[in-house]
Amino acid sequence: MTRKRRILFLHLGHDFGGVEVYLCNLAQLLRDDAEVVALCSHPQLIDSLQAQSVQVLRFPKVTGPLRGVRFLMAAVLLPFVVWKHRIDTVHINGHWESMLLAPARLLGCRVISTRHTTWGTPLRVWWHAPKRTLSALMH
């Protein structure tokens, strides 16, 4: 018998809204076909996923001027999480989280990045929307 595919939801955001509701609904849809592990820091998302029996790895909530450090911390932690939990697929949802697509690919994982914006509108210069530009480059 083959094991279920293991999917890591990687979410480092601080607000609770549509993305988090989407992740909870996605976990519910996948529960029969995959094992979901989540690496996240938002307390409401943690509670919602744990209520669905999703294994949640609590990520430290980093706010203020050093909040960008959380992406470096996640990049350092990612290989250990992938190895320890035998992750097959990494699901990322967010502009800055897209920086972690390349490390996840290098670890041999399939990566999924759910976009809730469009890149169809051209920009004159990259600095008008640096997060969107970075996300587009990482794909």
Side-chain angles (χ1 to χ4, degrees):
M1 183 171 151
T2 60
R3 71 172 175 85
K4 288 183 179 181
R5 177 171 291 281
R6 292 198 175 123
I7 301 173
L8 174 67
F9 287 177
L10 181 62
H11 179 67
L12 305 177
H14 295 299
D15 299 327
F16 192 89
V19 170
E20 292 75 20
V21 171
Y22 165 78
L23 290 176
C24 291
N25 289 338
L26 184 58
Q28 190 173 16
L29 286 169
L30 293 171
R31 75 172 166 235
D32 293 334
D33 299 316
E35 293 177 36
V36 177
V37 176
L39 179 63
C40 55
S41 60
H42 194 283
Q44 190 175 350
L45 180 58
I46 290 169
D47 292 344
S48 296
L49 290 173
Q50 286 179 331
Q52 295 183 42
S53 300
V54 170
Q55 182 179 4
V56 177
L57 308 170
R58 293 173 184 264
F59 191 81
K61 194 169 190 173
V62 182
T63 58
L66 295 178
R67 69 181 183 264
V69 171
R70 69 185 188 265
F71 301 104
L72 179 58
M73 292 168 47
V76 170
L77 189 59
L78 188 61
F80 176 73
V81 171
V82 166
W83 171 76
K84 177 153 179 36
H85 297 279
R86 297 174 30 208
I87 300 297
D88 302 299
T89 304
V90 175
H91 179 275
I92 293 174
N93 197 326
H95 288 290
W96 290 116
E97 285 89 341
S98 295
M99 291 187 294
L100 299 168
L101 290 171
R105 283 187 185 119
L106 289 172
L107 293 167
C109 295
R110 174 179 285 159
V111 296
I112 299 170
S113 179
T114 303
R115 307 302 334 138
H116 295 276
T117 59
T118 180
W119 293 316
T121 307
L123 297 172
R124 285 191 190 154
V125 289
W126 66 269
W127 57 82
H128 285 161
K131 291 194 296 188
R132 190 172 86 178
T133 303
L134 181 62
S135 292
L137 290 173
M138 290 299 179
H139 286 82

